[in-house]
Amino acid sequence: MTVSARNDSPAPPQVLLTHHLRQLKLPTFLREYDKVAAEAAREGLDHPRYLLRLAELELIDRERRMVERRIRAAHFPAVKSFDTFDFTAIPSLNKPLVLELARCEYAVARENIIALGNSGTGKTHASLAFGLAACQRGFSVIFITAAALVHQLMEARDERRLLKLQAQLTTVKLLIIDELGYVPLSQTGAELLFEIFSQRHERGSTIVNSNLPFEEWTTVFGSQRLTGALLDRLTHHVHILELNGESYRLKQSAARRKRGQRPSDEAAQPIDGEIDPAN
Ligand code: ADP
Ligand code: MG
């Protein structure tokens, strides 16, 4: 009798509120409403101000969660920013232009960035920093090496899901293609990559990192005609960054050797997750 009476009684409001806030996907609201209510009582806040504070907390948290989601979806090999980038190490790089680009106006205007320079000069680092800034500003990002991208396109074609992958690669706001130039592409690979550039033209921004100057891009794409058409699209609205200089990696390991650090110390350095075929 007592049991059924308990079952008939309405659920306590906290239980229902928890359920509704979960359903409405307001986790911060749920987590904070008690604490903020106590604050509001202490500070003498009225109801609208109490609700406003909760809504603001939810918005801030939601934005943070969305940035984290975009970062995960981008598949960055490491999260790097310009805070840890030493501009004095690479005088050929136009610092004011880089800092301007980090504000992401180019992504709004659907312009491209091409970073050219020898190995170890910070191209991957800079593009990761652009990618992170774009995630923070609300743009969707995909980071991938040219070789992996071509591999994925070929695999998707063989498995008859090329259109789906192409649609995904066309709609992402910022596509970062790293390490173009280390591996020559097959004719099919070059054509599939060209199609991506072509489909993205004026629809989204693309960042390309390459160790090769433009004159040598034919060696990657095989055909002069294809390379010409590709460069035509890619460089239509483009910011070119020149990173030519001493390899930062070599300079650092030379400095470590000079300090007498053992190789095991070197192995303890944080791994930045990228594979550089030049090493
Ligand atoms: P690239 O892609 O041009 O071959 P990376 O961006 O991979 O070069 O740089 C190699 C390593 O050196 C990375 O760990 C990177 O973070 C670091 N690095 C390169 N340039 C700089 C710089 N100017 N300031 C700080 N770190 C740098
Ligand atoms: Mg690199």
Side-chain angles (χ1 to χ4, degrees):
M1 189 62 206
T2 27
V3 171
S4 82
R6 206 180 294 149
N7 277 350
D8 289 339
S9 67
Q14 281 91 337
V15 174
L16 280 177
L17 185 59
T18 300
H19 173 265
H20 295 344
L21 288 175
R22 284 211 178 110
Q23 193 110 11
L24 288 166
K25 296 197 172 27
L26 298 170
T28 310
F29 222 99
L30 175 58
R31 198 183 61 234
E32 301 290 329
Y33 77 83
D34 248 351
K35 204 177 87 197
V36 179
E39 273 173 25
R42 261 198 319 274
E43 297 169 30
L45 292 188
D46 57 14
H47 271 90
R49 286 189 177 77
Y50 165 60
L51 288 174
L52 176 65
R53 192 170 287 184
L54 274 178
E56 280 170 351
L57 288 175
E58 187 70 57
L59 273 177
I60 292 166
D61 249 16
R62 180 171 293 184
E63 182 53 32
R64 186 185 48 74
R65 290 195 300 271
M66 273 160 65
V67 171
E68 281 169 5
R69 210 170 303 140
R70 280 182 221 115
I71 291 172
R72 275 198 303 278
H75 290 291
F76 297 129
V79 176
K80 293 194 180 185
S81 73
F82 285 113
D83 294 346
T84 56
F85 193 84
D86 176 8
F87 283 91
T88 62
I90 184 86
S92 71
L93 183 62
N94 182 342
K95 182 179 173 182
L97 174 61
V98 170
L99 295 182
E100 170 62 33
L101 291 172
R103 290 152 44 113
C104 297
E105 287 302 315
Y106 75 94
V108 177
R110 297 161 195 190
E111 295 164 352
N112 302 320
I113 301 176
I114 301 179
L116 301 174
N118 50 298
S119 179
T121 50
K123 300 182 295 299
T124 301
H125 187 137
S127 61
L128 285 169
F130 285 132
L132 181 64
C135 287
Q136 287 164 340
R137 298 276 169 131
F139 297 97
S140 56
V141 179
I142 292 179
F143 182 102
I144 191 163
T145 64
L149 177 55
V150 167
H151 182 84
Q152 285 196 15
L153 287 166
M154 306 252 272
E155 202 172 67
R157 193 192 55 153
D158 293 346
E159 293 169 7
R160 298 182 163 277
R161 48 177 182 84
L162 183 59
L163 285 178
K164 198 168 157 226
L165 180 60
Q166 281 176 331
Q168 191 192 349
L169 290 165
T170 308
T171 47
V172 70
K173 298 286 181 214
L174 172 63
L175 177 65
I176 304 176
I177 303 178
D178 198 19
E179 298 188 349
L180 183 87
Y182 285 122
V183 190
L185 307 173
S186 66
Q187 191 187 332
T188 314
E191 282 167 6
L192 286 169
L193 192 53
F194 171 78
E195 262 183 74
I196 296 299
F197 284 117
S198 187
Q199 288 167 353
R200 289 188 61 75
H201 181 54
E202 294 188 333
R203 287 210 186 98
S205 294
T206 307
I207 297 182
V208 178
N209 295 331
S210 181
N211 59 318
L212 297 180
F214 291 132
E215 310 84 78
E216 290 175 38
W217 282 31
T218 320
T219 60
V220 179
F221 291 96
S223 131
Q224 205 149 15
R225 185 186 49 81
L226 193 73
T227 312
L230 185 141
L231 281 176
D232 190 48
R233 283 159 180 74
L234 197 57
T235 59
H236 186 192
H237 307 286
V238 76
H239 304 274
I240 295 177
L241 302 177
E242 307 233 14
L243 293 92
N244 280 303
E246 230 182 307
S247 161
Y248 194 87
R249 281 194 205 94
L250 290 182
K251 229 172 12 190
Q252 281 217 317
S253 48
R256 273 199 294 273
R257 270 198 302 280
K258 218 166 158 186
R259 287 199 303 269
Q261 269 176 302
R262 291 161 294 136
S264 59
D265 298 334
E266 213 161 296
Q269 297 291 316
I271 297 163
D272 64 11
E274 62 152 18
I275 301 156
D276 188 344
N279 275 347

